Amino acid sequence: MRSLWRSMRLLKPYWHMAAGGLISLLIATGAMLVVPRLSQTIIDQGITQGNARLILWLSLAMVGLAMLRAVFQFAQGALAARTAQGIAFDLRNALYEKIQSLSFSYHDQVQTGQLLTRATSDVEILQRFVGQGSVMFLSAVLMMFGAMVLLFTLNWRLALVMVAVIPVTFGLFGLFARRAMPLFKEVQARLSRLNVVLQENLAGVRVVKAFAREEHEGERYEEANRAFYDINLQVNNILSLAFPTIFGVFNLTTLAIYWFGGLQVIGNTLTVGELVAFASYVGMAFFPVMMISMIVAMLSSAAASAERIFDILDAHSAVVDKPDAETLPRVEGRVTFDSVTFRYFEGGEPVLKDVSLVAEPGQRIALLGATGSGKSTIINLIPRFYDVDEGRVLIDGYDVRDVRLSSLRSQIGIVLQETNLFEGTVRENIAFGRPDASFEEVVAAATAAEAHDFITGFANGYDTRVGERGVTLSGGQKQRVAIARALLLDPRILILDDATSSVDLATEYRIQQALDRLMAGRTSFIIAQRVATVLNADQILVLDRGQIVARGVHEELLASSEIYAEIYQSQLQDERELHIDLPAGEEVTP
């Protein structure tokens, strides 16, 4: 419940609306509590004594109170809705900003479907309680307290029945709540699982269809859906038993009130009007009890959602700016790894072990090695996607942990192995890192990345929409748009993570020629699966099991490194046998 109380702080920016809602609630509750007293007067002094004038005026007063109550209930509801929506707005923004700020290590361990559930369903549940459930709770408390005071004012002996019954009612509901409350957290957990399966299948629908796995994935979704269905049934069964029980107690209480009250009326110690008013106040005192019962169910669900939301908001990002971090000035591009050791998970095996290297400004550094050798980890440490466990990563002598992340990453252009485009136009995707770039600059970047020709071949050219995740483009086209996106930044450091893996050899050659011109003057790190693409690198680093086992230029490594020689023999010799359809006069230089 600590998380739920903490969530009440979300009301602070909306205190004026919350205060207005509370005042409206007090007026509406007061208007409602006056009505039974008027009914008592109408019966005892109007109907019994034949005073038609009194009946008329008090009836008009009751109509006026009903109108007053309706106006302030509307005001209270409108203010509560605005407060609730404002809280949800703030929560969604806070969650989005937090999720964006969390480091790669956090996202490595959390499923996307879980984050979606917490940013949508959990926010909605918490919003409903903080913005509406809390108001309902206050209304119920005020109504019950006011009704009990008036009950004792009317007849304290008869009111003792309620003193005995209400604690029993709360005790009964407490028993049901103890069983139901742990289930609400499980409801949200199973909803997260359902969303995870759904998100995976929507993202991988082409793979599912290509492998004819629709039936299997349907069964997997049905299993998650069944688990969600079952847990909801358990909660509903408990609540379905709770409310009839409470209604039963209410009916027995009403019967007792009419029995004992009727005896007092017969004995002339209580008037009929007082008995009617008393019965009305009993209903007013009991209705909040049932309302609170519903609120407790809402509270249980909200508490579970609050805990899940604050799990994200309180999450610690492994990569953050230091309080005294300085802005990295325009760099020349000297990159140094000083005895770097890195683990993805605390206590895990090192992915990099005592790695040292120096890339001088303008140099091209090629990284070769088997899958899992540590190539991608090296390039992930340069823009500080992760922090090293031991050693340092320096750019122009600045430790990357001592500078602002924005000033660091704005000077690094990256083309990742997995190309990710956003729904929008080709132009918008190329200008993603520089939205203010002119059209001419976008075209220049696209031309340099060998993307201009195929873009202008589309009916809408640069205004062509690429669809979600760029599904309307081929793999090679997406890769070239991604390269253009990185080049438009005019970065001092360029990272190409197997950037030409999705293109044919002829296109790869043309892109490589463009990259050769564009890498001039920039420090470039290139991960490549094919040796032919990195033969002209200033340094070739051969990695094996997280260590640099060989370094040098092509000729040196061919003579000194057995691993490099094996890679060369297995790849380059095969490529020499291929007939590549290149423009006339052009040929691949081994």
Side-chain angles (χ1 to χ4, degrees):
M1 300 300 294
R2 191 180 299 114
S3 296
L4 188 59
W5 288 118
R6 177 182 170 187
S7 67
M8 299 303 292
R9 300 175 191 170
L10 299 169
L11 285 167
K12 186 176 181 180
Y14 306 97
W15 68 268
H16 53 292
M17 286 191 286
L22 180 59
I23 293 171
S24 299
L25 178 62
L26 288 170
I27 295 173
T29 303
M32 187 175 180
L33 289 170
V34 172
V35 171
R37 276 293 195 180
L38 294 179
S39 298
Q40 173 193 338
T41 305
I42 288 173
I43 293 171
D44 289 343
Q45 299 179 25
I47 297 174
T48 303
Q49 299 179 16
N51 190 340
R53 183 180 178 84
L54 180 64
I55 295 172
L56 175 62
W57 283 109
L58 291 182
S59 296
L60 290 174
M62 291 175 69
V63 172
L65 286 171
M67 294 176 63
L68 180 69
R69 180 186 170 202
V71 169
F72 281 96
Q73 277 188 328
F74 171 79
Q76 180 266 316
L79 290 170
R82 289 178 65 87
T83 302
Q85 291 301 323
I87 289 169
F89 177 82
D90 293 342
L91 264 181
R92 285 191 289 264
N93 281 340
L95 281 170
Y96 180 81
E97 291 174 9
K98 184 66 177 184
I99 291 169
Q100 289 289 328
S101 71
L102 290 169
S103 60
F104 277 30
S105 58
Y106 179 86
H107 291 282
D108 290 341
Q109 302 174 61
V110 178
Q111 294 172 309
T112 304
Q114 292 183 357
L115 297 178
L116 288 173
T117 301
R118 298 186 189 198
T120 52
S121 176
D122 284 318
V123 166
E124 183 181 351
I125 290 171
L126 186 58
Q127 161 210 332
R128 193 181 307 128
F129 175 77
V130 175
Q132 298 174 354
S134 57
V135 175
M136 291 172 60
F137 178 76
L138 284 174
S139 175
V141 170
L142 289 171
M143 180 70 71
M144 185 167 60
F145 179 77
M148 289 297 294
V149 169
L150 290 169
L151 283 172
F152 275 94
T153 302
L154 277 171
N155 190 310
W156 67 270
R157 292 182 181 86
L158 205 54
L160 292 176
V161 175
M162 292 297 295
V163 173
V165 169
I166 286 181
V168 172
T169 306
F170 276 118
L172 286 172
F173 193 82
L175 294 176
F176 290 111
R178 285 187 63 184
R179 294 185 59 191
M181 287 181 69
L183 297 178
F184 284 107
K185 188 172 183 179
E186 183 63 21
V187 167
Q188 292 305 106
R190 295 193 186 185
L191 178 59
S192 292
R193 173 59 185 163
L194 185 66
N195 283 337
V196 166
V197 177
L198 179 60
Q199 186 270 334
E200 287 178 346
N201 275 270
L202 290 177
V205 63
R206 286 168 173 77
V207 177
V208 174
K209 290 182 177 296
F211 286 87
R213 296 288 285 173
E214 292 94 338
E215 183 176 350
H216 173 268
E217 291 303 314
E219 291 173 355
R220 195 160 72 99
Y221 183 80
E222 183 179 354
E223 180 182 348
N225 198 15
R226 173 65 64 180
F228 183 57
Y229 170 83
D230 290 341
I231 194 67
N232 273 293
L233 279 186
Q234 291 183 47
V235 173
N236 289 330
N237 288 340
I238 292 174
L239 297 181
S240 296
L241 183 60
F243 290 114
T245 303
I246 293 170
F247 272 110
V249 173
F250 170 68
N251 290 331
L252 290 174
T253 303
T254 304
L255 179 62
I257 293 297
Y258 278 116
W259 172 258
F260 293 113
L263 291 177
Q264 291 186 27
V265 171
I266 294 172
N268 293 319
T269 59
L270 187 72
T271 68
V272 174
E274 288 173 336
L275 179 59
V276 171
F278 197 95
S280 296
Y281 284 128
V282 167
M284 289 184 181
F286 234 103
F287 178 74
V289 174
M290 292 182 285
M291 187 186 296
I292 289 173
S293 301
M294 291 185 288
I295 293 169
V296 169
M298 187 186 299
L299 180 146
S300 302
S301 182
S305 292
E307 184 178 349
R308 288 160 54 82
I309 288 171
F310 286 115
D311 278 346
I312 295 178
L313 295 179
D314 293 339
H316 172 70
S317 181
V319 178
V320 294
D321 284 335
K322 288 183 176 180
D324 58 345
E326 55 185 312
T327 299
L328 182 66
R330 180 72 171 173
V331 300
E332 294 182 7
R334 190 173 195 267
V335 179
T336 304
F337 276 60
D338 181 12
S339 302
V340 169
T341 296
F342 173 76
R343 299 172 181 83
Y344 278 107
F345 303 105
E346 186 176 353
E349 288 294 319
V351 181
L352 294 179
K353 306 171 189 175
D354 195 28
V355 170
S356 296
L357 65 92
V358 176
E360 297 296 343
Q363 279 194 337
R364 304 177 191 181
I365 311 299
L367 305 173
L368 292 177
T371 300
S373 59
K375 306 185 299 297
S376 294
T377 303
I378 286 180
I379 64 170
N380 282 334
L381 295 177
I382 298 172
R384 202 184 165 206
F385 290 154
Y386 301 90
D387 274 340
V388 300
D389 292 311
E390 300 173 22
R392 300 180 299 167
V393 177
L394 308 172
I395 295 182
D396 285 7
Y398 291 89
D399 191 319
V400 295
R401 294 169 293 188
D402 295 334
V403 299
R404 296 186 183 278
L405 286 169
S406 57
S407 65
L408 168 67
R409 293 174 182 173
S410 64
Q411 301 191 61
I412 301 174
I414 303 175
V415 180
L416 297 173
Q417 189 174 23
E418 294 183 8
T419 304
N420 189 15
L421 302 183
F422 296 89
E423 199 284 326
T425 65
V426 174
R427 178 179 178 178
E428 289 169 344
N429 273 278
I430 294 176
F432 184 76
R434 280 187 56 200
D436 59 340
S438 68
F439 179 68
E440 290 72 20
E441 290 174 315
V442 171
V443 171
T447 302
E450 293 285 332
H452 179 71
D453 289 343
F454 80 76
I455 293 173
T456 54
F458 296 141
N460 295 321
Y462 282 83
D463 291 326
T464 301
R465 304 195 74 82
V466 301
E468 187 179 10
R469 300 186 307 278
V471 294
T472 59
L473 303 182
S474 69
Q477 289 171 338
K478 286 194 291 185
Q479 198 78 322
R480 281 177 275 176
V481 169
I483 292 172
R485 179 171 61 188
L487 297 175
L488 186 61
L489 292 175
D490 189 24
R492 303 307 306 156
I493 300 171
L494 191 63
I495 294 175
L496 305 173
D497 184 358
D498 206 10
T500 59
S501 62
S502 298
V503 298
D504 56 67
L505 291 177
T507 303
E508 178 184 349
Y509 173 75
R510 287 191 290 269
I511 293 177
Q512 197 63 50
Q513 295 301 304
L515 290 177
D516 286 342
R517 295 191 299 272
L518 291 162
M519 285 189 289
R522 294 184 174 89
T523 307
S524 304
F525 288 82
I526 309 158
I527 292 179
Q529 299 299 327
R530 293 192 287 267
V531 176
T533 60
V534 295
L535 293 178
N536 297 323
D538 297 297
Q539 287 189 64
I540 299 175
L541 306 179
V542 182
L543 287 96
D544 184 39
R545 298 180 182 179
Q547 295 180 302
I548 298 175
V549 294
R551 69 181 78 203
V553 295
H554 170 64
E555 291 79 8
E556 296 173 348
L557 291 174
L558 200 58
S560 62
S561 172
E562 182 178 347
I563 295 177
Y564 184 82
E566 288 178 357
I567 296 173
Y568 178 79
Q569 294 298 330
S570 63
Q571 294 183 12
L572 199 57
Q573 294 298 331
D574 291 338
E575 290 184 9
R576 285 176 173 173
E577 299 175 1
L578 295 176
H579 297 283
I580 304 173
D581 185 15
L582 295 176
E586 294 184 354
E587 58 183 30
V588 176
T589 302

